[in-house]
Amino acid sequence: MSHWPLTREDIARPAYRSLAQGIAAAIDSGSLRPGDRLPPHRDLAWQLRVSVQTVSRAYEELIRADLISGEVGRGSFVKSGPRETVEVPWFRAPVDRPPLDLSMMTPVRLPQIDEAWRDSLMRVAAHVPAPVMHSFRPRQTMSLYGGMAAAWLARCGLMVPAQRVLVTNGTTPAMFIALMSVAGPGDEIATESSTCHTLKPAAQHLHLRLRGIPGDDRGMCPEALMAAAHASGGRMKAVFLLPGGAGPFARIMDRERREALAQAATKAGLIILENDATGPVARRRPPPVSTFAPDRSLYFTGLSKCLSPGLRLGFLATPEMLTERVLNRHMSMAWMATPLMAEIATDWMANGTADLLMAGQRTELTLRNRLAHRMLEGQSEGGPNGLHRWLPLPAGTDEQALVTRALDSGVALAPGSGFAVTDRAPAVRLCLGGTTYRELEQALGIVKAILPAK
């Protein structure tokens, strides 16, 4: 049941829940769009031959689920703005996911990954360190695996002492901890006009405001950042950057712009939050932004998008002035990282598996980016080793309708609205690692066929 309007035949018992589910399904399918006004309680009750109380209870359920809003004197409206459960295909249940999934940013599933897990688990099982099984002390985890984490950060171009690296259960926990350490409810975080999709709900949960900063084809404009910080009257506390190709625009920021943004943030008194989720996947990258302002930067990366999705391990490098605060925030939220994951990562790095997998990823991603560039006739944007490409759509294109049409054809895409902080042109994100090469070729052919003419 994903159509609109609903009919009496769509309603089952309990009626209020059936009605709420029907409206939710219509929102999910795009039959009801953000901003659409729902019928008044009495009108819908009459149409469906149910009580006004049933409609009121269904609307209350939808309000609690953050699907609709009730405005006194105006009525009930489908919530505006992107929501992961409505507009982001990767949030769907596995049974709903089509066979050709370009919505989830993941490394290529190389055959070597399965082999690496099997071999590493056997080695670790033969000599399980006692702290993996018995340790309950966060500082012990840091002392055991800080060196491994610092070595990985060096691969990413960042030299930092092991005692200033926090090991986390992935980049998303690292991001939460970084946000909690530099800002409080009501504060502003600057970011690009489209940003990491997990930043938006994180900011909402922490009661932070995101301020989209204008940019150009090189990234965020330093002058615009300084102007926005000044206009905020001190409410802006940090700037969130994705300079390494993991952002929706798949852009790798050049060295000059990185240095200019570090200088702008320093002058504006902002802390730099640098999300480098794809780490050293891209070749010949400039140094991280954090290297140009090490005393005011929180840099975080992880292994799940570089080596294997199941290796949920992140690294958060902190300046000395924030190290204790970051550690305390992490302890209150997650206590410590899972030692077994850190043990497997240590094994991979020590025996060369990590470098082998990284080389395999780069080779395969180079082929896949060339394929996408060729099949989409140069319309998509991205680097030569990126995990995804950004596909701008012609002005006026109904982005959600295109995503729905692709989904009906068996291809899941990530709509640009899922990343947007400010108004921007329609686009979709195409992830390259979640399918085989042949499946990717098939999926890109379907995408090309449904693209509107320029």
Side-chain angles (χ1 to χ4, degrees):
M1 179 170 55
S2 59
H3 56 274
W4 185 260
L6 301 177
T7 67
R8 173 60 191 172
E9 288 69 33
D10 296 319
I11 306 301
R13 291 185 178 277
Y16 81 91
R17 184 175 300 166
S18 177
L19 175 56
Q21 291 172 342
I23 295 174
I27 294 172
D28 191 39
S29 70
S31 299
L32 279 172
R33 304 295 305 281
D36 283 353
R37 187 175 186 272
L38 296 175
H41 295 54
R42 291 188 179 278
D43 290 357
L44 188 58
W46 183 82
Q47 293 169 18
L48 300 178
R49 300 197 297 279
V50 298
S51 69
V52 174
Q53 182 181 7
T54 294
V55 177
S56 297
R57 191 171 177 185
Y59 280 13
E60 288 170 2
E61 292 286 322
L62 294 166
I63 290 172
R64 277 196 292 270
D66 201 33
L67 290 171
I68 70 173
S69 62
E71 302 180 21
V72 177
R74 294 190 63 226
S76 301
F77 296 83
V78 176
K79 287 291 287 288
S80 59
R83 291 178 52 260
E84 288 80 9
T85 51
V86 174
E87 297 191 66
V88 184
W90 62 77
F91 192 80
R92 297 175 182 274
V95 294
D96 298 328
R97 182 165 296 157
L100 303 174
D101 190 354
L102 307 188
S103 69
M104 182 74 78
M105 193 167 77
T106 167
V108 179
R109 185 171 177 175
L110 302 170
Q112 301 96 303
I113 294 177
D114 295 6
E115 181 181 346
W117 274 98
R118 287 193 299 268
D119 292 349
S120 187
L121 287 170
M122 290 178 65
R123 282 192 296 271
V124 171
H127 305 283
V128 183
V132 170
M133 299 179 288
H134 304 299
S135 174
F136 201 62
R137 299 183 182 277
R139 287 191 182 274
Q140 186 174 25
T141 302
M142 290 179 65
S143 65
L144 284 172
Y145 304 111
M148 173 271 293
W152 184 260
L153 292 181
R155 283 179 167 92
C156 300
L158 189 70
M159 305 301 295
V160 60
Q163 61 268 27
R164 295 220 313 268
V165 182
L166 179 67
V167 183
T168 68
N169 286 320
T171 54
T172 300
M175 179 185 69
F176 260 91
I177 295 156
L179 289 168
M180 293 166 63
S181 300
V182 302
D187 288 339
E188 284 188 4
I189 305 294
T191 187
E192 291 191 79
S193 58
S194 287
T195 189
C196 167
H197 72 92
T198 54
L199 176 63
K200 297 169 67 178
Q204 182 179 7
H205 295 323
L206 297 174
H207 305 288
L208 302 175
R209 300 175 181 177
L210 296 182
R211 173 73 68 91
I213 307 299
D216 54 26
D217 58 1
R218 297 173 60 203
M220 183 186 294
C221 291
E223 297 80 7
L225 173 62
M226 292 184 64
H230 178 74
S232 75
R235 291 189 301 274
M236 187 177 290
K237 303 299 183 183
V239 54
F240 183 94
L241 298 173
L242 286 150
F249 300 130
R251 177 190 297 128
I252 296 181
M253 194 180 293
D254 62 58
R255 181 189 177 104
E256 183 181 2
R257 179 58 59 88
R258 293 178 186 224
E259 191 169 4
L261 281 170
Q263 293 173 354
T266 301
K267 291 178 181 178
L270 303 177
I271 298 295
I272 297 169
L273 307 178
E274 184 172 5
N275 183 343
D276 193 15
T278 53
V281 170
R283 297 177 184 272
R284 294 182 290 276
R285 307 183 316 153
V289 178
S290 300
T291 61
F292 301 111
D295 295 335
R296 58 186 321 103
S297 298
L298 288 162
Y299 171 98
F300 47 98
T301 186
L303 303 181
S304 62
K305 295 191 185 303
C306 306
L307 303 179
S308 171
L311 197 59
R312 308 301 302 176
L313 208 65
F315 310 124
L316 173 58
T318 66
E320 187 172 358
M321 67 174 181
L322 290 175
T323 298
E324 283 300 316
R325 184 187 301 179
V326 167
L327 178 60
N328 289 334
R329 299 297 188 276
H330 184 239
M331 288 176 64
S332 66
M333 189 179 97
W335 191 251
M336 69 181 194
T338 306
L340 181 59
M341 290 294 103
E343 193 65 30
I344 292 171
T346 300
D347 182 62
W348 285 14
M349 292 184 202
N351 63 26
T353 298
D355 292 327
L356 178 66
L357 294 179
M358 184 64 64
Q361 288 293 331
R362 286 171 175 158
T363 299
E364 185 65 24
L365 287 169
T366 297
L367 296 174
R368 293 180 179 221
N369 276 279
R370 288 175 180 170
L371 174 68
H373 182 77
R374 173 175 56 81
M375 291 194 64
L376 298 175
E377 301 174 347
Q379 298 179 53
S380 62
E381 302 167 0
N385 309 120
L387 272 66
H388 73 283
R389 299 189 71 82
W390 186 251
L391 180 61
L393 301 173
T397 300
D398 188 330
E399 183 181 276
Q400 189 58 50
L402 180 74
V403 171
T404 300
R405 186 177 177 188
L407 205 57
D408 291 341
S409 300
V411 179
L413 306 176
S417 57
F419 311 93
V421 176
T422 60
D423 292 339
R424 47 103 197 108
V428 292
R429 189 184 71 172
L430 310 172
C431 297
L432 309 179
T435 62
T436 67
Y437 184 90
R438 294 304 175 197
E439 288 172 339
L440 176 62
E441 188 173 28
Q442 179 186 352
L444 291 172
I446 292 172
V447 172
K448 181 180 179 180
I450 66 174
L451 285 177
K454 287 191 173 181

